[in-house]
Amino acid sequence: MPLESASVLGDESRYLREKLGTALTCGLAEVCRKRPSDPIQFLAQWLLRFRHFTQEQLDLELAEMQRVEEEQRLAQYEYTALLRQAIAEGEAGC
């Protein structure tokens, strides 16, 4: 790859990250969370609404996503602990 091509790609990457990074990250996270039947249409509509979000709304959305992820981690931990307990009780009863 020629040196100037790498420079152009770096500039393009930086532009995309600065201008679309937050919008696409949040939008794709929402697609994963909601799992719509038409994810492209859902993302398109979400991005149209995104333009009108305030920073406070984005912060609340991010906090909610982090809360849900933490709840999922906790549920997985509790499930694993219960499963280990059931296995230990089953082995003790043999």
Side-chain angles (χ1 to χ4, degrees), residues 13-89:
S13 177
R14 187 173 24 266
Y15 169 79
L16 291 172
R17 194 171 42 253
E18 288 173 6
K19 301 298 181 182
L20 298 175
T22 301
L24 287 177
T25 300
C26 292
L28 291 171
E30 190 69 9
V31 168
C32 290
R33 190 167 58 154
K34 300 273 177 125
R35 299 188 182 272
S37 60
D38 187 348
I40 294 172
Q41 179 66 29
F42 180 91
L43 180 59
Q45 293 298 318
W46 192 93
L47 288 170
L48 287 172
R49 288 191 317 271
F50 178 84
R51 292 186 306 181
H52 305 291
F53 287 174
T54 66
Q55 186 61 48
E56 182 180 347
Q57 289 169 316
L58 290 174
D59 291 343
L60 289 172
E61 181 74 18
L62 180 59
E64 174 64 14
M65 288 171 38
Q66 291 170 337
R67 184 190 65 76
V68 168
E69 288 173 359
E70 183 61 28
E71 285 180 356
Q72 290 172 341
R73 276 193 294 273
L74 180 59
Q76 181 64 38
Y77 174 79
E78 290 173 348
Y79 172 77
T80 302
L82 289 172
L83 188 58
R84 286 182 179 155
Q85 181 182 0
I87 290 170
E89 289 173 359

Side-chain angles (χ1 to χ4, degrees), residues 1-17:
M1 171 185 291
L3 184 58
E4 55 190 48
S5 294
S7 175
V8 169
L9 287 177
D11 291 342
E12 290 172 352
S13 177
R14 187 173 24 266
Y15 169 79
L16 291 172
R17 194 171 42 253

